[in-house]
Amino acid sequence: MRAVVWHGIGDIRLDEVPEPTIQHPEDAIVRITKSAICGTDLHFVRGTMAPMEEGTILGHEAVGVVTEVGDAVRGFSPGDRVVINSTISCGACRYCRMGKTAQCDVANPNGPQAGTSFFGGPQSTGPVNGLQAEYVRVPWARNTMHPLPENVSDEQAILLSDIFPTGWFGAELAGVTRGDVVVVFGAGIVGQFAAASAYKLGAARVIIVDGEETRLAAALEQHCEVVNYNTEDPVQAIMDLTNGIGADCVIDAVGIDAERPKHGPAAVDDQQAADFDDEVAQVAPDASAKGRGEEQRWKPGDGPSQAARWAVASVAKYGRIGIIGVYGPTAEHYPIGEAMNKNLTVRMGNCDHHSVTPPLIDMVAAGQFDPTALITEHEPIGSAIEAYEAFDRREPGWIKVELEAAR
């Protein structure tokens, strides 16, 4: 079968690999019908989340049909349509019983202290082969898959595998309540769903910050107030929009690959640029700061803590920050003193997919929200590497890439 395989920083390939088999009684095998490329996948190719294990299949979003189940799998049968959670959980440990499934004590092969186990990630997460393939093995299938209603299409369901739940989780982390002014940093697909989720949770206003015009245009279609950090200082703009108070809560949907503004009033000075360069060297020591190849692909973001700094500066005193943008274990720069002096509440982490996703499936099935408008690219798996390259270049309009996995 074909799969997108990680061979090194800046080196991914569409390989022919063996089809997966049942390895544990709790496993299931799923034939993938839809997969997707996520910004998190780019971290692994750029080198900002490491170390990876060569030969790991990438991808953590998928929809498909069950073809086989292990002897201990109850509740699923061959032929069932399912959406696969990005994070893996056993369903029986103390964290799973509390609904905190991202920190399952059992799923990560590295042990209970290793943290989240998810598909297609670095060594610290398993590693577990990912979902950008034609067939996949799903560990702990009873808790890592959800059945799909007939009236939820594959195209709708692919966004329920990770993106919609993660956006919703970000709004929950930020404590969005009725009447809040919410700021979302990052107008990529996670930021778009964080904004949509904030509105669903009662936000009165959502202000979204990014530097790419087509992403901001997509946010404007959701009736967000938009701020381009390349043309205005986002912190000052947020203060102007809130009578100098700041936002009630902020969602950081950017993470470690943040880009610093290159021009405009928020452009960094030489000292700030040097500090950011030092951060890049720390978080991605094996990556090339200028990218790889003639086209300089797979370049890490050049402002690793930029979104974090803006978030703390733009939220009101006693405000709340939810962080769902990915920060690797080597990221150590955070304006904790400023956060302390403003009495901020900061919450962060990986989405508890198993407990967050079911109500969102119901929401889509009931016609209360159709997520498919935010899928901007549809590509066959045979074009996956080219799609990765275009997504990495941050080409205008490329917000979410769906992969058709079937031959």
Side-chain angles (χ1 to χ4, degrees):
M1 69 170 187
R2 294 173 297 176
V4 179
V5 179
W6 189 95
H7 288 276
I9 296 173
D11 183 5
I12 56 172
R13 308 171 198 171
L14 186 65
D15 289 345
E16 286 287 338
V17 300
E19 291 187 9
T21 59
I22 297 288
Q23 298 179 18
H24 187 277
E26 299 279 3
D27 289 350
I29 304 298
V30 175
R31 175 178 59 82
I32 300 302
T33 54
K34 299 281 187 187
S35 187
I37 299 173
C38 178
T40 302
D41 299 324
L42 294 177
H43 297 318
F44 310 137
V45 191
R46 292 170 178 165
T48 47
M49 280 285 286
M52 290 284 289
E53 184 174 298
E54 185 172 1
T56 300
I57 296 172
L58 293 177
H60 54 268
E61 300 168 272
V63 178
V65 178
V66 176
T67 62
E68 186 180 359
V69 296
D71 292 341
V73 176
R74 303 175 186 234
F76 291 97
S77 304
D80 289 344
R81 285 180 65 237
V82 294
V83 58
I84 302 173
N85 293 331
S86 296
T87 52
I88 302 165
S89 57
C90 76
C93 73
R94 58 175 180 154
Y95 287 105
C96 286
R97 293 181 186 211
M98 291 188 292
K100 303 180 186 301
T101 56
Q103 294 298 328
C104 173
D105 267 341
V106 177
N108 195 322
N110 294 299
Q113 296 303 314
T116 307
S117 180
F118 61 88
F119 292 97
Q123 292 176 5
S124 62
T125 66
V128 179
N129 274 326
L131 307 181
Q132 291 168 5
E134 294 179 301
Y135 288 85
V136 302
R137 179 180 74 91
V138 181
W140 301 103
R142 65 186 179 200
N143 223 57
T144 307
M145 307 189 303
H146 296 285
L148 286 171
E150 290 184 2
N151 65 335
V152 174
S153 69
D154 283 3
E155 191 167 57
Q156 291 173 320
I158 191 59
L159 295 168
L160 290 160
S161 180
D162 180 33
I163 299 302
F164 191 4
T166 295
W168 190 277
F169 188 65
E172 287 185 338
L173 288 176
V176 176
T177 57
R178 188 174 66 183
D180 278 344
V181 176
V182 180
V183 168
V184 178
F185 283 97
I189 190 66
V190 175
Q192 300 286 346
F193 275 93
S197 300
Y199 275 132
K200 288 289 185 182
L201 288 169
R205 298 168 64 193
V206 177
I207 302 165
I208 197 161
V209 180
D210 202 283
E212 208 284 305
E213 288 289 356
T214 58
R215 293 182 173 190
L216 292 171
L220 197 59
E221 291 182 5
Q222 294 201 74
H223 306 291
C224 296
E225 300 168 57
V226 299
V227 174
N228 186 333
Y229 64 68
N230 283 314
T231 60
E232 54 186 329
D233 183 323
V235 176
Q236 185 60 54
I238 292 163
M239 290 300 169
D240 291 343
L241 290 167
T242 58
N243 296 337
I245 297 170
D248 298 298
C249 42
V250 170
I251 302 169
D252 175 357
V254 181
I256 199 71
D257 268 322
E259 291 284 319
R260 65 201 191 210
K262 306 302 187 297
H263 47 78
V268 299
D269 60 28
D270 291 344
Q271 182 58 57
Q272 291 171 315
D275 290 344
F276 278 141
D277 290 344
D278 288 343
E279 287 183 31
V280 174
Q282 178 183 340
V283 301
D286 298 320
S288 169
K290 295 183 179 180
R292 295 172 183 268
E294 292 181 1
E295 297 186 21
Q296 295 185 334
R297 297 176 182 141
W298 320 120
K299 176 183 174 296
D302 59 9
S305 65
Q306 179 68 90
R309 295 174 187 277
W310 281 341
V312 171
S314 61
V315 72
K317 294 182 294 183
Y318 271 101
R320 308 174 301 278
I321 297 176
I323 304 174
I324 48 174
V326 174
Y327 289 90
T330 56
E332 297 179 349
H333 293 267
Y334 193 84
I336 191 167
E338 185 178 358
M340 172 77 178
N341 287 326
K342 294 178 75 171
N343 281 60
L344 303 186
T345 298
V346 183
R347 301 175 65 203
M348 66 198 81
N350 298 309
C351 179
D352 296 317
H353 287 92
H354 182 78
S355 57
V356 172
T357 302
L360 305 184
I361 295 175
D362 292 343
M363 186 183 297
V364 173
Q368 296 172 3
F369 183 72
D370 183 5
T372 57
L374 292 167
I375 298 176
T376 56
E377 309 297 327
H378 303 76
E379 301 288 339
I381 194 169
S383 301
I385 305 305
E386 292 82 1
Y388 258 97
E389 292 171 349
F391 198 35
D392 171 72
R393 290 192 296 266
R394 300 175 175 87
E395 289 193 357
W398 283 63
I399 295 175
K400 187 60 178 176
V401 184
E402 175 190 276
L403 294 177
E404 180 73 46
R407 288 185 184 270

mmCIF file with all atom_site columns, all heavy atoms in Angstrom, residues 17 23 55 58 78 80 92 97 111-112 122 143 166 181 195 206 231 258 292 300 323 332 359 372 385:
data_model
loop_
_atom_site.group_PDB
_atom_site.id
_atom_site.type_symbol
_atom_site.label_atom_id
_atom_site.label_alt_id
_atom_site.label_comp_id
_atom_site.label_asym_id
_atom_site.label_entity_id
_atom_site.label_seq_id
_atom_site.pdbx_PDB_ins_code
_atom_site.Cartn_x
_atom_site.Cartn_y
_atom_site.Cartn_z
_atom_site.occupancy
_atom_site.B_iso_or_equiv
_atom_site.pdbx_formal_charge
_atom_site.auth_seq_id
_atom_site.auth_comp_id
_atom_site.auth_asym_id
_atom_site.auth_atom_id
_atom_site.pdbx_PDB_model_num
ATOM 1   N N   . VAL A 1 17  ? 4.553   0.385  1.292  1.00 0.00 ? 17  VAL A N   1
ATOM 2   C CA  . VAL A 1 17  ? 4.867   -0.253 2.569  1.00 0.00 ? 17  VAL A CA  1
ATOM 3   C C   . VAL A 1 17  ? 3.901   -1.421 2.781  1.00 0.00 ? 17  VAL A C   1
ATOM 4   O O   . VAL A 1 17  ? 2.830   -1.477 2.170  1.00 0.00 ? 17  VAL A O   1
ATOM 5   C CB  . VAL A 1 17  ? 4.763   0.750  3.733  1.00 0.00 ? 17  VAL A CB  1
ATOM 6   C CG1 . VAL A 1 17  ? 5.727   1.917  3.536  1.00 0.00 ? 17  VAL A CG1 1
ATOM 7   C CG2 . VAL A 1 17  ? 3.339   1.260  3.892  1.00 0.00 ? 17  VAL A CG2 1
ATOM 8   N N   . GLN A 1 23  ? -1.893  -6.515 15.843 1.00 0.00 ? 23  GLN A N   1
ATOM 9   C CA  . GLN A 1 23  ? -0.754  -6.845 16.696 1.00 0.00 ? 23  GLN A CA  1
ATOM 10  C C   . GLN A 1 23  ? -1.154  -7.064 18.152 1.00 0.00 ? 23  GLN A C   1
ATOM 11  O O   . GLN A 1 23  ? -0.367  -7.594 18.937 1.00 0.00 ? 23  GLN A O   1
ATOM 12  C CB  . GLN A 1 23  ? 0.287   -5.727 16.620 1.00 0.00 ? 23  GLN A CB  1
ATOM 13  C CG  . GLN A 1 23  ? 0.865   -5.509 15.232 1.00 0.00 ? 23  GLN A CG  1
ATOM 14  C CD  . GLN A 1 23  ? 1.878   -4.373 15.193 1.00 0.00 ? 23  GLN A CD  1
ATOM 15  O OE1 . GLN A 1 23  ? 2.410   -3.957 16.226 1.00 0.00 ? 23  GLN A OE1 1
ATOM 16  N NE2 . GLN A 1 23  ? 2.132   -3.853 14.005 1.00 0.00 ? 23  GLN A NE2 1
ATOM 17  N N   . GLY A 1 55  ? 11.182  6.093  9.011  1.00 0.00 ? 55  GLY A N   1
ATOM 18  C CA  . GLY A 1 55  ? 10.241  5.063  8.604  1.00 0.00 ? 55  GLY A CA  1
ATOM 19  C C   . GLY A 1 55  ? 8.851   5.236  9.173  1.00 0.00 ? 55  GLY A C   1
ATOM 20  O O   . GLY A 1 55  ? 7.937   4.469  8.834  1.00 0.00 ? 55  GLY A O   1
ATOM 21  N N   . LEU A 1 58  ? 3.398   9.272  8.453  1.00 0.00 ? 58  LEU A N   1
ATOM 22  C CA  . LEU A 1 58  ? 2.882   10.529 8.985  1.00 0.00 ? 58  LEU A CA  1
ATOM 23  C C   . LEU A 1 58  ? 1.349   10.562 8.973  1.00 0.00 ? 58  LEU A C   1
ATOM 24  O O   . LEU A 1 58  ? 0.694   9.722  8.365  1.00 0.00 ? 58  LEU A O   1
ATOM 25  C CB  . LEU A 1 58  ? 3.436   11.704 8.190  1.00 0.00 ? 58  LEU A CB  1
ATOM 26  C CG  . LEU A 1 58  ? 4.943   11.967 8.315  1.00 0.00 ? 58  LEU A CG  1
ATOM 27  C CD1 . LEU A 1 58  ? 5.353   13.119 7.409  1.00 0.00 ? 58  LEU A CD1 1
ATOM 28  C CD2 . LEU A 1 58  ? 5.323   12.255 9.762  1.00 0.00 ? 58  LEU A CD2 1
ATOM 29  N N   . PRO A 1 78  ? -16.395 -5.155 11.359 1.00 0.00 ? 78  PRO A N   1
ATOM 30  C CA  . PRO A 1 78  ? -16.028 -4.858 9.980  1.00 0.00 ? 78  PRO A CA  1
ATOM 31  C C   . PRO A 1 78  ? -17.208 -4.272 9.218  1.00 0.00 ? 78  PRO A C   1
ATOM 32  O O   . PRO A 1 78  ? -18.356 -4.716 9.369  1.00 0.00 ? 78  PRO A O   1
ATOM 33  C CB  . PRO A 1 78  ? -15.624 -6.236 9.428  1.00 0.00 ? 78  PRO A CB  1
ATOM 34  C CG  . PRO A 1 78  ? -15.110 -6.976 10.627 1.00 0.00 ? 78  PRO A CG  1
ATOM 35  C CD  . PRO A 1 78  ? -16.002 -6.532 11.756 1.00 0.00 ? 78  PRO A CD  1
ATOM 36  N N   . ASP A 1 80  ? -18.070 -1.003 9.584  1.00 0.00 ? 80  ASP A N   1
ATOM 37  C CA  . ASP A 1 80  ? -18.448 0.240  10.248 1.00 0.00 ? 80  ASP A CA  1
ATOM 38  C C   . ASP A 1 80  ? -17.654 1.419  9.689  1.00 0.00 ? 80  ASP A C   1
ATOM 39  O O   . ASP A 1 80  ? -16.431 1.339  9.527  1.00 0.00 ? 80  ASP A O   1
ATOM 40  C CB  . ASP A 1 80  ? -18.179 0.161  11.755 1.00 0.00 ? 80  ASP A CB  1
ATOM 41  C CG  . ASP A 1 80  ? -19.137 -0.757 12.489 1.00 0.00 ? 80  ASP A CG  1
ATOM 42  O OD1 . ASP A 1 80  ? -20.189 -1.100 11.919 1.00 0.00 ? 80  ASP A OD1 1
ATOM 43  O OD2 . ASP A 1 80  ? -18.820 -1.133 13.644 1.00 0.00 ? 80  ASP A OD2 1
ATOM 44  N N   . ALA A 1 92  ? -9.825  2.991  29.966 1.00 0.00 ? 92  ALA A N   1
ATOM 45  C CA  . ALA A 1 92  ? -10.024 2.361  31.265 1.00 0.00 ? 92  ALA A CA  1
ATOM 46  C C   . ALA A 1 92  ? -9.166  2.944  32.381 1.00 0.00 ? 92  ALA A C   1
ATOM 47  O O   . ALA A 1 92  ? -9.482  2.746  33.559 1.00 0.00 ? 92  ALA A O   1
ATOM 48  C CB  . ALA A 1 92  ? -9.755  0.858  31.166 1.00 0.00 ? 92  ALA A CB  1
ATOM 49  N N   . ARG A 1 97  ? -11.018 7.775  32.416 1.00 0.00 ? 97  ARG A N   1
ATOM 50  C CA  . ARG A 1 97  ? -12.299 7.800  33.135 1.00 0.00 ? 97  ARG A CA  1
ATOM 51  C C   . ARG A 1 97  ? -12.712 9.210  33.516 1.00 0.00 ? 97  ARG A C   1
ATOM 52  O O   . ARG A 1 97  ? -13.894 9.493  33.718 1.00 0.00 ? 97  ARG A O   1
ATOM 53  C CB  . ARG A 1 97  ? -12.208 6.919  34.383 1.00 0.00 ? 97  ARG A CB  1
ATOM 54  C CG  . ARG A 1 97  ? -12.066 5.451  34.057 1.00 0.00 ? 97  ARG A CG  1
ATOM 55  C CD  . ARG A 1 97  ? -11.996 4.594  35.299 1.00 0.00 ? 97  ARG A CD  1
ATOM 56  N NE  . ARG A 1 97  ? -11.709 3.205  34.949 1.00 0.00 ? 97  ARG A NE  1
ATOM 57  C CZ  . ARG A 1 97  ? -12.144 2.158  35.641 1.00 0.00 ? 97  ARG A CZ  1
ATOM 58  N NH1 . ARG A 1 97  ? -12.915 2.350  36.710 1.00 0.00 ? 97  ARG A NH1 1
ATOM 59  N NH2 . ARG A 1 97  ? -11.831 0.937  35.277 1.00 0.00 ? 97  ARG A NH2 1
ATOM 60  N N   . GLY A 1 111 ? 5.466   4.595  28.300 1.00 0.00 ? 111 GLY A N   1
ATOM 61  C CA  . GLY A 1 111 ? 5.106   4.574  29.707 1.00 0.00 ? 111 GLY A CA  1
ATOM 62  C C   . GLY A 1 111 ? 4.202   5.717  30.107 1.00 0.00 ? 111 GLY A C   1
ATOM 63  O O   . GLY A 1 111 ? 4.020   6.691  29.367 1.00 0.00 ? 111 GLY A O   1
ATOM 64  N N   . PRO A 1 112 ? 3.624   5.656  31.315 1.00 0.00 ? 112 PRO A N   1
ATOM 65  C CA  . PRO A 1 112 ? 2.622   6.633  31.734 1.00 0.00 ? 112 PRO A CA  1
ATOM 66  C C   . PRO A 1 112 ? 3.144   8.053  31.876 1.00 0.00 ? 112 PRO A C   1
ATOM 67  O O   . PRO A 1 112 ? 2.362   9.004  31.783 1.00 0.00 ? 112 PRO A O   1
ATOM 68  C CB  . PRO A 1 112 ? 2.121   6.089  33.078 1.00 0.00 ? 112 PRO A CB  1
ATOM 69  C CG  . PRO A 1 112 ? 3.181   5.150  33.543 1.00 0.00 ? 112 PRO A CG  1
ATOM 70  C CD  . PRO A 1 112 ? 3.791   4.575  32.307 1.00 0.00 ? 112 PRO A CD  1
ATOM 71  N N   . PRO A 1 122 ? 6.557   11.993 16.934 1.00 0.00 ? 122 PRO A N   1
ATOM 72  C CA  . PRO A 1 122 ? 7.950   11.698 17.265 1.00 0.00 ? 122 PRO A CA  1
ATOM 73  C C   . PRO A 1 122 ? 8.081   10.512 18.213 1.00 0.00 ? 122 PRO A C   1
ATOM 74  O O   . PRO A 1 122 ? 7.077   9.945  18.672 1.00 0.00 ? 122 PRO A O   1
ATOM 75  C CB  . PRO A 1 122 ? 8.432   12.996 17.918 1.00 0.00 ? 122 PRO A CB  1
ATOM 76  C CG  . PRO A 1 122 ? 7.200   13.645 18.438 1.00 0.00 ? 122 PRO A CG  1
ATOM 77  C CD  . PRO A 1 122 ? 6.098   13.258 17.510 1.00 0.00 ? 122 PRO A CD  1
ATOM 78  N N   . ASN A 1 143 ? -11.570 3.000  22.044 1.00 0.00 ? 143 ASN A N   1
ATOM 79  C CA  . ASN A 1 143 ? -11.584 4.370  22.554 1.00 0.00 ? 143 ASN A CA  1
ATOM 80  C C   . ASN A 1 143 ? -10.945 5.354  21.589 1.00 0.00 ? 143 ASN A C   1
ATOM 81  O O   . ASN A 1 143 ? -10.951 6.551  21.845 1.00 0.00 ? 143 ASN A O   1
ATOM 82  C CB  . ASN A 1 143 ? -10.830 4.441  23.894 1.00 0.00 ? 143 ASN A CB  1
ATOM 83  C CG  . ASN A 1 143 ? -11.548 5.300  24.922 1.00 0.00 ? 143 ASN A CG  1
ATOM 84  O OD1 . ASN A 1 143 ? -12.706 5.027  25.239 1.00 0.00 ? 143 ASN A OD1 1
ATOM 85  N ND2 . ASN A 1 143 ? -10.886 6.325  25.435 1.00 0.00 ? 143 ASN A ND2 1
ATOM 86  N N   . THR A 1 166 ? -9.970  20.091 18.303 1.00 0.00 ? 166 THR A N   1
ATOM 87  C CA  . THR A 1 166 ? -8.865  20.867 18.871 1.00 0.00 ? 166 THR A CA  1
ATOM 88  C C   . THR A 1 166 ? -9.243  22.338 18.990 1.00 0.00 ? 166 THR A C   1
ATOM 89  O O   . THR A 1 166 ? -8.930  22.996 19.988 1.00 0.00 ? 166 THR A O   1
ATOM 90  C CB  . THR A 1 166 ? -7.593  20.697 18.023 1.00 0.00 ? 166 THR A CB  1
ATOM 91  O OG1 . THR A 1 166 ? -7.172  19.324 18.104 1.00 0.00 ? 166 THR A OG1 1
ATOM 92  C CG2 . THR A 1 166 ? -6.467  21.589 18.533 1.00 0.00 ? 166 THR A CG2 1
ATOM 93  N N   . VAL A 1 181 ? -14.995 38.916 24.770 1.00 0.00 ? 181 VAL A N   1
ATOM 94  C CA  . VAL A 1 181 ? -14.193 39.323 23.614 1.00 0.00 ? 181 VAL A CA  1
ATOM 95  C C   . VAL A 1 181 ? -13.013 38.359 23.548 1.00 0.00 ? 181 VAL A C   1
ATOM 96  O O   . VAL A 1 181 ? -12.219 38.268 24.493 1.00 0.00 ? 181 VAL A O   1
ATOM 97  C CB  . VAL A 1 181 ? -13.681 40.768 23.744 1.00 0.00 ? 181 VAL A CB  1
ATOM 98  C CG1 . VAL A 1 181 ? -12.775 41.118 22.566 1.00 0.00 ? 181 VAL A CG1 1
ATOM 99  C CG2 . VAL A 1 181 ? -14.851 41.744 23.821 1.00 0.00 ? 181 VAL A CG2 1
ATOM 100 N N   . ALA A 1 195 ? -12.096 29.950 16.379 1.00 0.00 ? 195 ALA A N   1
ATOM 101 C CA  . ALA A 1 195 ? -12.995 31.102 16.281 1.00 0.00 ? 195 ALA A CA  1
ATOM 102 C C   . ALA A 1 195 ? -14.451 30.654 16.197 1.00 0.00 ? 195 ALA A C   1
ATOM 103 O O   . ALA A 1 195 ? -15.328 31.188 16.894 1.00 0.00 ? 195 ALA A O   1
ATOM 104 C CB  . ALA A 1 195 ? -12.621 31.947 15.060 1.00 0.00 ? 195 ALA A CB  1
ATOM 105 N N   . VAL A 1 206 ? -15.052 38.029 18.178 1.00 0.00 ? 206 VAL A N   1
ATOM 106 C CA  . VAL A 1 206 ? -13.826 37.264 17.969 1.00 0.00 ? 206 VAL A CA  1
ATOM 107 C C   . VAL A 1 206 ? -12.919 38.065 17.055 1.00 0.00 ? 206 VAL A C   1
ATOM 108 O O   . VAL A 1 206 ? -13.305 38.451 15.948 1.00 0.00 ? 206 VAL A O   1
ATOM 109 C CB  . VAL A 1 206 ? -14.099 35.876 17.351 1.00 0.00 ? 206 VAL A CB  1
ATOM 110 C CG1 . VAL A 1 206 ? -12.776 35.150 17.090 1.00 0.00 ? 206 VAL A CG1 1
ATOM 111 C CG2 . VAL A 1 206 ? -14.979 35.033 18.271 1.00 0.00 ? 206 VAL A CG2 1
ATOM 112 N N   . THR A 1 231 ? 0.765   44.756 8.909  1.00 0.00 ? 231 THR A N   1
ATOM 113 C CA  . THR A 1 231 ? 0.389   46.133 8.599  1.00 0.00 ? 231 THR A CA  1
ATOM 114 C C   . THR A 1 231 ? 0.052   46.959 9.834  1.00 0.00 ? 231 THR A C   1
ATOM 115 O O   . THR A 1 231 ? -0.031  48.185 9.744  1.00 0.00 ? 231 THR A O   1
ATOM 116 C CB  . THR A 1 231 ? -0.819  46.164 7.641  1.00 0.00 ? 231 THR A CB  1
ATOM 117 O OG1 . THR A 1 231 ? -1.927  45.495 8.264  1.00 0.00 ? 231 THR A OG1 1
ATOM 118 C CG2 . THR A 1 231 ? -0.485  45.463 6.325  1.00 0.00 ? 231 THR A CG2 1
ATOM 119 N N   . ALA A 1 258 ? 5.719   29.921 14.694 1.00 0.00 ? 258 ALA A N   1
ATOM 120 C CA  . ALA A 1 258 ? 5.245   31.294 14.475 1.00 0.00 ? 258 ALA A CA  1
ATOM 121 C C   . ALA A 1 258 ? 6.237   32.075 13.613 1.00 0.00 ? 258 ALA A C   1
ATOM 122 O O   . ALA A 1 258 ? 7.454   31.874 13.691 1.00 0.00 ? 258 ALA A O   1
ATOM 123 C CB  . ALA A 1 258 ? 5.057   32.007 15.815 1.00 0.00 ? 258 ALA A CB  1
ATOM 124 N N   . ARG A 1 292 ? 15.603  24.101 3.201  1.00 0.00 ? 292 ARG A N   1
ATOM 125 C CA  . ARG A 1 292 ? 16.415  23.146 2.453  1.00 0.00 ? 292 ARG A CA  1
ATOM 126 C C   . ARG A 1 292 ? 16.100  23.206 0.972  1.00 0.00 ? 292 ARG A C   1
ATOM 127 O O   . ARG A 1 292 ? 14.960  23.427 0.568  1.00 0.00 ? 292 ARG A O   1
ATOM 128 C CB  . ARG A 1 292 ? 16.164  21.724 2.982  1.00 0.00 ? 292 ARG A CB  1
ATOM 129 C CG  . ARG A 1 292 ? 16.626  21.556 4.420  1.00 0.00 ? 292 ARG A CG  1
ATOM 130 C CD  . ARG A 1 292 ? 16.202  20.220 5.006  1.00 0.00 ? 292 ARG A CD  1
ATOM 131 N NE  . ARG A 1 292 ? 16.621  20.143 6.413  1.00 0.00 ? 292 ARG A NE  1
ATOM 132 C CZ  . ARG A 1 292 ? 17.766  19.631 6.821  1.00 0.00 ? 292 ARG A CZ  1
ATOM 133 N NH1 . ARG A 1 292 ? 18.631  19.144 5.929  1.00 0.00 ? 292 ARG A NH1 1
ATOM 134 N NH2 . ARG A 1 292 ? 18.065  19.599 8.098  1.00 0.00 ? 292 ARG A NH2 1
ATOM 135 N N   . PRO A 1 300 ? 11.825  26.325 9.482  1.00 0.00 ? 300 PRO A N   1
ATOM 136 C CA  . PRO A 1 300 ? 11.108  26.549 10.738 1.00 0.00 ? 300 PRO A CA  1
ATOM 137 C C   . PRO A 1 300 ? 10.612  27.994 10.831 1.00 0.00 ? 300 PRO A C   1
ATOM 138 O O   . PRO A 1 300 ? 11.184  28.913 10.226 1.00 0.00 ? 300 PRO A O   1
ATOM 139 C CB  . PRO A 1 300 ? 12.177  26.285 11.809 1.00 0.00 ? 300 PRO A CB  1
ATOM 140 C CG  . PRO A 1 300 ? 13.244  25.501 11.126 1.00 0.00 ? 300 PRO A CG  1
ATOM 141 C CD  . PRO A 1 300 ? 13.228  25.944 9.698  1.00 0.00 ? 300 PRO A CD  1
ATOM 142 N N   . ILE A 1 323 ? -3.784  27.528 25.092 1.00 0.00 ? 323 ILE A N   1
ATOM 143 C CA  . ILE A 1 323 ? -2.742  27.260 24.096 1.00 0.00 ? 323 ILE A CA  1
ATOM 144 C C   . ILE A 1 323 ? -2.973  25.892 23.471 1.00 0.00 ? 323 ILE A C   1
ATOM 145 O O   . ILE A 1 323 ? -2.901  24.855 24.152 1.00 0.00 ? 323 ILE A O   1
ATOM 146 C CB  . ILE A 1 323 ? -1.332  27.306 24.727 1.00 0.00 ? 323 ILE A CB  1
ATOM 147 C CG1 . ILE A 1 323 ? -1.090  28.649 25.413 1.00 0.00 ? 323 ILE A CG1 1
ATOM 148 C CG2 . ILE A 1 323 ? -0.263  27.056 23.658 1.00 0.00 ? 323 ILE A CG2 1
ATOM 149 C CD1 . ILE A 1 323 ? 0.220   28.718 26.184 1.00 0.00 ? 323 ILE A CD1 1
ATOM 150 N N   . GLU A 1 332 ? 11.373  26.899 25.691 1.00 0.00 ? 332 GLU A N   1
ATOM 151 C CA  . GLU A 1 332 ? 11.511  27.343 27.083 1.00 0.00 ? 332 GLU A CA  1
ATOM 152 C C   . GLU A 1 332 ? 11.319  28.840 27.270 1.00 0.00 ? 332 GLU A C   1
ATOM 153 O O   . GLU A 1 332 ? 11.512  29.354 28.372 1.00 0.00 ? 332 GLU A O   1
ATOM 154 C CB  . GLU A 1 332 ? 12.894  26.938 27.612 1.00 0.00 ? 332 GLU A CB  1
ATOM 155 C CG  . GLU A 1 332 ? 13.111  25.425 27.652 1.00 0.00 ? 332 GLU A CG  1
ATOM 156 C CD  . GLU A 1 332 ? 14.485  25.038 28.152 1.00 0.00 ? 332 GLU A CD  1
ATOM 157 O OE1 . GLU A 1 332 ? 15.343  25.944 28.273 1.00 0.00 ? 332 GLU A OE1 1
ATOM 158 O OE2 . GLU A 1 332 ? 14.697  23.845 28.414 1.00 0.00 ? 332 GLU A OE2 1
ATOM 159 N N   . PRO A 1 359 ? -19.966 15.164 21.013 1.00 0.00 ? 359 PRO A N   1
ATOM 160 C CA  . PRO A 1 359 ? -20.974 16.223 20.839 1.00 0.00 ? 359 PRO A CA  1
ATOM 161 C C   . PRO A 1 359 ? -20.810 16.995 19.529 1.00 0.00 ? 359 PRO A C   1
ATOM 162 O O   . PRO A 1 359 ? -21.802 17.516 18.989 1.00 0.00 ? 359 PRO A O   1
ATOM 163 C CB  . PRO A 1 359 ? -20.740 17.138 22.055 1.00 0.00 ? 359 PRO A CB  1
ATOM 164 C CG  . PRO A 1 359 ? -20.005 16.304 23.045 1.00 0.00 ? 359 PRO A CG  1
ATOM 165 C CD  . PRO A 1 359 ? -19.167 15.377 22.236 1.00 0.00 ? 359 PRO A CD  1
ATOM 166 N N   . THR A 1 372 ? -17.157 21.897 6.252  1.00 0.00 ? 372 THR A N   1
ATOM 167 C CA  . THR A 1 372 ? -16.442 21.618 5.004  1.00 0.00 ? 372 THR A CA  1
ATOM 168 C C   . THR A 1 372 ? -16.011 22.861 4.231  1.00 0.00 ? 372 THR A C   1
ATOM 169 O O   . THR A 1 372 ? -15.120 22.776 3.386  1.00 0.00 ? 372 THR A O   1
ATOM 170 C CB  . THR A 1 372 ? -17.305 20.739 4.074  1.00 0.00 ? 372 THR A CB  1
ATOM 171 O OG1 . THR A 1 372 ? -18.564 21.401 3.838  1.00 0.00 ? 372 THR A OG1 1
ATOM 172 C CG2 . THR A 1 372 ? -17.568 19.394 4.709  1.00 0.00 ? 372 THR A CG2 1
ATOM 173 N N   . ILE A 1 385 ? 3.069   14.472 -1.585 1.00 0.00 ? 385 ILE A N   1
ATOM 174 C CA  . ILE A 1 385 ? 4.332   15.179 -1.342 1.00 0.00 ? 385 ILE A CA  1
ATOM 175 C C   . ILE A 1 385 ? 4.253   16.589 -1.923 1.00 0.00 ? 385 ILE A C   1
ATOM 176 O O   . ILE A 1 385 ? 4.677   17.570 -1.279 1.00 0.00 ? 385 ILE A O   1
ATOM 177 C CB  . ILE A 1 385 ? 5.523   14.414 -1.944 1.00 0.00 ? 385 ILE A CB  1
ATOM 178 C CG1 . ILE A 1 385 ? 5.545   12.968 -1.407 1.00 0.00 ? 385 ILE A CG1 1
ATOM 179 C CG2 . ILE A 1 385 ? 6.822   15.129 -1.622 1.00 0.00 ? 385 ILE A CG2 1
ATOM 180 C CD1 . ILE A 1 385 ? 5.555   12.854 0.098  1.00 0.00 ? 385 ILE A CD1 1
#
